[in-house]
Amino acid sequence: MAMTGASPTDRLRELQQHCTRIEQALSDSEQRTRMFAEAASDYLYELDEHLCIRFVSDRFEELTGIPAALIVGQSAVDLGRAHIAADRRAHQEDLLARRPYRGYRYSIRTRDGNLRHLQISGQPYFDETGRFKGYRGAGTDITEFVETERRLLEAEAELGLAQRMEALGQLTGGVAHDFNNFLTAFMGNLELALGRHDLPDDAAGYVRAALDGARSSEALVHRLLAFSRRQTLRPALVDIAEVLADLGSMIEPLLGERMQLSMEPVAGDISAMVDADQLQQSVLNLVMNARDAMPDGGTLYVSASLTLLSANDPSGLPPGDYISILVADTGTGIDEHLLNYVFEPYFTTKPPGEGVGLGLSMVYGFAAQSGGGVRVESVVGGGTHVEMLLPASSSSTAVDSVAGYMPGTTGERLLVVEDDPALSLVVCNMLRELGYEVASVGNADGALRFLDAHADVDLVVCDVVLPGDRSGLDVLRHAREQGHRAQWLLMSGFALDDGQFEEADTAGCDILRKPFRSRELADRVAALLSRARLPRAQAG
């Protein structure tokens, strides 16, 4: 304020000083606001009355790589895209109605091609007459939050799918196990009927047709058990060259005209003690995956060779000779961060509806159950190499056949332990047809009582799954503890886990997978009884 009586010059000087102080205060305020804006993690923006971008702070360029000059003057409505269409419509309604908005999310492509997720809030402002002038607001980077939220939702979806698939696997395995019992009884009775000398020729034809249908059902049950990862393997000495040669004619029709098959001849005589059917299925699974990874065509390589693994091999397998079966493609490849998950059940890189993610997990399970492993290398755009390693074997490792042994000629006594009446009856009939003396019980307690009362039992044919709290392995364990020296043949429609298999192997027990044929049962029983007789013959 000017002092009373001051000259006009003094009043003018004082007015200039007052204006200077106001300008300095305004400059300080602008500088302070600018410093706040530059220091903030959020960016500031202003829209004009036409909802075009009038101003955006430098923080926007730091987040997106897009200079302010490139977007000033552009319509804010057209900037980026909303996460959800309904959110975009609601935001546009707020803008048209000149209402404040808060927490509107949108995504924008940065200059380096990445997707950045932003969230903005805005407040409308008006001039002194109440005329709308635009919006002023702030935006923040929520990319990490959105990506974490997305991964969480995907994980929840994958968990839900895995739980549903696991439940389906358990249900499928249970149904397949029960069906195995029915199928074993059905096939056994058909084989017994075919063995009748008085069976008319036309009736024999009907029986054979029914038996063929039952064998087709057996293959179906085997696939169901493979799906539920509860199948029992039938290892035998397998010539790898023969397996791959048989597969060659099956693979080519699967590839189509735009793909080429390159199968290298197997060098030398290499064999493995594996389940031949599961080996073929595993290689076919790898081939199908490779084919699907080459939608635009390419080359599929299949080879097998002998390799020596050292004690420090990255696979973690015991050192020794292994057969390496390689399936490689020139396809799209797999992201590096996904390689650690490719063998997990239900994991798949294929779009929904095009794969359930069981193929590689089945390959891994088969290789591990056979004493080997699987390793994979892949480059995005450069193809994938999957190597299955199986312990090498020679003909000397094959199980000796039982020569010159005639079953049922020395009065062997056998006990059948099976709770399914139909299956128990057919197994007993099969064994009696071979000349054995056979008794049967339906549970673990009955088996233990029978063994305690009859020390002369030569062999026990026992189901692994029995009613009550005790399994077939529990009966075997108790029998061994009580000093019973009978041979044991366990029947199972499921695969034994590592602990069960080791216990059965340590006890010298053989395992017969359901459904089985009468000849299979006869051969296994004969081999076990022959094994028991050898020490007695040597002692004599």
Side-chain angles (χ1 to χ4, degrees):
M1 293 290 296
M3 297 181 60
T4 304
S7 67
T9 302
D10 292 337
R11 290 199 297 273
L12 179 60
R13 185 182 299 110
E14 185 176 352
L15 181 60
Q16 288 176 336
Q17 291 175 350
H18 181 66
C19 289
T20 300
R21 287 195 296 272
I22 292 175
E23 289 175 353
Q24 183 63 47
L26 179 61
S27 175
D28 291 344
S29 177
E30 289 178 349
Q31 184 178 11
R32 184 163 55 249
T33 302
R34 186 177 295 108
M35 291 181 66
F36 284 150
E38 299 300 332
S41 58
D42 296 351
Y43 68 89
L44 306 180
Y45 68 93
E46 181 178 319
L47 308 182
D48 62 19
E49 62 270 25
H50 303 296
L51 303 181
C52 292
I53 300 171
R54 176 184 290 154
F55 163 81
V56 63
S57 65
D58 293 342
R59 178 62 176 155
F60 181 82
E61 182 177 355
E62 293 177 13
L63 292 174
T64 65
I66 302 174
L70 292 181
I71 63 170
V72 168
Q74 292 188 23
S75 170
V77 178
D78 298 329
L79 183 67
R81 60 180 179 84
H83 294 289
I84 303 174
D87 290 349
R88 183 180 181 86
R89 288 193 298 270
H91 179 60
Q92 290 175 333
E93 291 173 0
D94 287 337
L95 292 174
L96 293 175
R98 315 311 189 208
R99 290 192 295 259
Y101 53 84
R102 180 174 296 277
Y104 171 66
R105 295 184 184 185
Y106 73 98
S107 301
I108 189 170
R109 189 69 65 178
T110 64
R111 296 198 79 179
D112 57 9
N114 294 322
L115 198 64
R116 182 71 65 178
H117 304 289
L118 305 173
Q119 179 174 281
I120 58 174
S121 298
Q123 189 75 21
Y125 69 99
F126 306 86
D127 63 13
E128 62 277 3
T129 65
R131 186 169 64 91
F132 173 70
K133 297 291 290 181
Y135 276 93
R136 290 173 180 147
T140 186
D141 179 16
I142 58 169
T143 301
E144 184 175 351
F145 173 79
V146 170
E147 290 300 318
T148 301
E149 186 179 54
R150 179 186 59 80
R151 287 193 296 268
L152 178 60
L153 291 174
E154 289 178 353
E156 290 177 348
E158 290 174 2
L159 177 60
L161 176 61
Q163 289 173 335
R164 292 195 300 272
M165 295 297 284
E166 176 65 20
L168 180 58
Q170 292 178 356
L171 175 62
T172 302
V175 171
H177 174 266
D178 291 341
F179 191 62
N180 261 335
N181 283 349
F182 305 148
L183 198 56
T184 303
F186 183 59
M187 293 171 64
N189 281 303
L190 290 175
E191 289 185 331
L192 288 173
L194 280 177
R196 296 290 299 267
H197 298 294
D198 56 349
L199 186 68
D201 291 341
D202 57 347
Y206 298 145
V207 173
R208 289 191 186 94
L211 192 55
D212 288 340
R215 287 168 181 164
S216 299
S217 300
E218 178 187 4
L220 172 62
V221 173
H222 188 61
R223 288 194 292 271
L224 291 175
L225 285 172
F227 166 77
S228 62
R229 299 171 62 85
R230 304 174 80 174
Q231 77 273 24
T232 301
L233 300 180
R234 287 173 170 168
L237 192 65
V238 174
D239 186 318
I240 302 300
E242 290 184 3
V243 171
L244 294 186
D246 292 341
L247 281 173
S249 58
M250 300 172 58
I251 293 173
E252 287 196 73
L254 299 175
L255 299 183
E257 298 180 354
R258 305 180 66 182
M259 300 182 195
Q260 293 181 340
L261 173 63
S262 175
M263 292 192 71
E264 297 183 10
V266 178
D269 179 18
I270 56 176
S271 302
M273 286 293 295
V274 293
D275 186 310
D277 292 338
Q278 285 297 301
L279 174 60
Q280 283 194 344
Q281 186 61 53
S282 295
V283 176
L284 281 176
N285 280 338
L286 296 179
V287 167
M288 298 295 284
N289 278 357
R291 181 200 65 179
D292 294 343
M294 298 186 290
D296 299 323
T299 303
L300 172 69
Y301 300 91
V302 180
S303 65
S305 60
L306 194 64
T307 184
L308 176 64
L309 297 187
S310 65
N312 298 322
D313 190 84
S315 66
L317 294 172
D321 290 329
Y322 286 82
I323 295 169
S324 167
I325 300 177
L326 177 67
V327 177
D329 63 70
T330 58
T332 55
I334 305 172
D335 288 337
E336 183 179 0
H337 73 280
L338 297 178
L339 289 178
N340 292 331
Y341 305 100
V342 294
F343 296 119
E344 292 185 3
Y346 316 117
F347 177 84
T348 179
T349 58
K350 298 177 183 178
E354 295 185 17
V356 296
L358 288 172
L360 283 178
S361 66
M362 292 171 64
V363 172
Y364 180 85
F366 161 72
Q369 196 171 353
S370 301
V374 185
R375 48 192 180 190
V376 57
E377 297 178 359
S378 187
V379 176
V380 174
T384 301
H385 291 205
V386 181
E387 182 184 24
M388 180 164 53
L389 296 167
L390 300 170
S393 301
S394 63
S395 57
S396 61
T397 61
V399 178
D400 294 334
S401 60
V402 181
Y405 178 76
M406 296 299 294
T409 58
T410 55
E412 293 93 342
R413 299 194 67 186
L414 276 60
L415 173 64
V416 174
V417 186
E418 170 59 59
D419 62 295
D420 187 297
L423 181 55
S424 177
L425 179 61
V426 75
V427 171
C428 290
N429 287 338
M430 286 178 176
L431 295 172
R432 291 189 182 109
E433 287 282 330
L434 295 170
Y436 298 116
E437 182 181 341
V438 184
S440 65
V441 294
N443 53 54
D445 292 338
L448 293 174
R449 287 194 299 269
F450 189 93
L451 290 173
D452 288 340
H454 302 83
D456 57 346
V457 172
D458 297 290
L459 185 141
V460 179
V461 181
C462 182
D463 196 7
V464 173
V465 179
L466 295 173
D469 297 332
R470 293 183 176 182
S471 68
L473 280 168
D474 293 326
V475 179
L476 169 61
R477 189 183 308 114
H478 184 83
R480 288 287 188 259
E481 292 172 353
Q482 296 300 312
H484 296 292
R485 307 313 304 168
Q487 297 295 310
W488 279 73
L489 176 61
L490 289 176
M491 302 180 293
S492 179
F494 288 154
L496 275 64
D497 61 36
D498 291 341
Q500 292 173 323
F501 188 84
E502 182 178 357
E503 182 176 359
D505 186 60
T506 302
C509 179
D510 200 358
I511 301 168
L512 182 61
R513 188 182 71 178
K514 300 174 185 176
F516 50 81
R517 294 163 175 66
S518 56
R519 179 57 186 270
E520 248 185 309
L521 177 64
D523 289 346
R524 297 293 187 90
V525 170
L528 286 167
L529 291 175
S530 178
R531 183 191 305 170
R533 292 177 63 199
L534 285 175
R536 292 199 297 266
Q538 292 170 357

